[in-house]
Amino acid sequence: MRVVIAEDDALLREGLALLLAAEGIEVLAAVDNAADLLAAVTEKAPDALIVDVRLPPDFSDEGLRAAIEARRTRPELPVLVLSSYVEDTYASALLSKGGVGVGYLLKERVGKVQSFLDALHRVAEGGTAIDPEVIAQLLVRRRAGDPLHALTAREREVLALMAEGLSNTDLSERLVISEGAVNKHIRNIFAKLGLQPSDSGHRRVLAVLAYLKA
């Protein structure tokens, strides 16, 4: 895997670069601002981005806007966004663009190295890796008439865990139910969200995006 990192904190930026290099992941560039991030995407064609939401000069949403712009030019480019705390508006902005390979983690998760690496690989492979705290805040803002209201409590629970990136086996273990039951819940979720086998894109990812969009 070949990645570009955009993080203004020099210690975290270099720490991430060293961590990824130790895992055999090539860091094509490690930059501290949005302009250099977009230039690196154009020049080096990375397999994935790791981007801090807040970058210079204003430290508001420059990183997120750069990630969205990168995905506008390369819709399938996987992006893992890091944030110091839950910023649900920013998460919704990224997720609302659709596509595959999106992640949003709190920076504190980086300290759990294996969990962070697992999340990066899931995103790079076209999946999702959404922090549970981000999920909780996004759920507060569901719209009236949202198709998710048709889901049962158990189906919503299954979909929330799917958003974290858990596999069917993981879901089975977490919920203490059989994999057959997990498959049945997922089929019901797809049907209620109108995701047919002919839909373009990965239905599992489409379901997660429908769940997370504000």
Side-chain angles (χ1 to χ4, degrees):
M1 189 194 310
R2 302 157 65 250
V3 306
V4 167
I5 300 169
E7 166 59 58
D8 69 288
D9 184 309
L11 184 60
L12 179 56
R13 183 173 66 250
E14 295 307 315
L16 281 170
L18 290 172
L19 169 64
L20 297 177
E23 294 294 322
I25 297 171
E26 183 179 0
V27 178
L28 299 175
V31 303
D32 64 0
N33 64 83
D36 286 348
L37 167 64
L38 292 175
V41 170
T42 300
E43 295 169 8
K44 300 180 182 296
D47 300 317
L49 304 181
I50 301 173
V51 184
D52 187 355
V53 167
R54 297 171 179 251
L55 291 174
D58 297 326
F59 296 97
S60 57
D61 62 349
E62 290 88 349
L64 180 75
R65 286 189 283 112
I68 292 172
E69 174 62 18
R71 283 179 68 96
R72 186 187 68 78
T73 56
R74 288 183 55 194
E76 301 301 314
L77 178 62
V79 176
L80 178 58
V81 169
L82 302 179
S83 181
S84 296
Y85 50 89
V86 178
E87 300 174 276
D88 56 332
T89 300
Y90 296 158
S92 297
L94 178 64
L95 294 165
S96 68
K97 301 304 177 182
V100 297
V102 291
Y104 192 110
L105 297 181
L106 295 181
K107 287 186 178 180
E108 64 188 53
R109 310 293 178 191
V110 177
K112 301 176 181 178
V113 174
Q114 193 56 54
S115 177
F116 169 72
L117 291 171
D118 288 345
L120 176 59
H121 281 289
R122 283 199 303 275
V123 170
E125 291 167 2
T128 58
I130 312 299
D131 197 287
E133 292 187 37
V134 175
I135 293 170
Q137 291 213 15
L138 290 175
L139 283 179
V140 172
R141 305 194 305 156
R142 302 311 310 183
R143 295 185 297 268
D146 194 303
L148 291 175
H149 293 316
L151 301 184
T152 66
R154 175 62 93 179
E155 288 164 356
R156 287 172 66 89
E157 188 176 12
V158 167
L159 192 47
L161 294 174
M162 287 168 60
E164 290 183 38
L166 272 64
S167 67
N168 286 10
T169 300
D170 294 332
L171 285 167
S172 174
E173 294 175 355
R174 180 78 65 89
L175 299 174
V176 195
I177 59 178
S178 69
E179 286 198 43
V182 169
N183 288 327
K184 180 179 179 180
H185 288 311
I186 292 175
R187 285 196 301 271
N188 289 341
I189 291 167
F190 289 159
K192 291 179 180 180
L193 295 182
L195 298 174
Q196 303 302 322
S198 59
D199 282 329
S200 61
H202 194 303
R203 285 197 299 167
R204 191 182 187 94
V205 174
L206 293 173
V208 167
L209 291 174
Y211 179 66
L212 292 172
K213 289 178 186 177

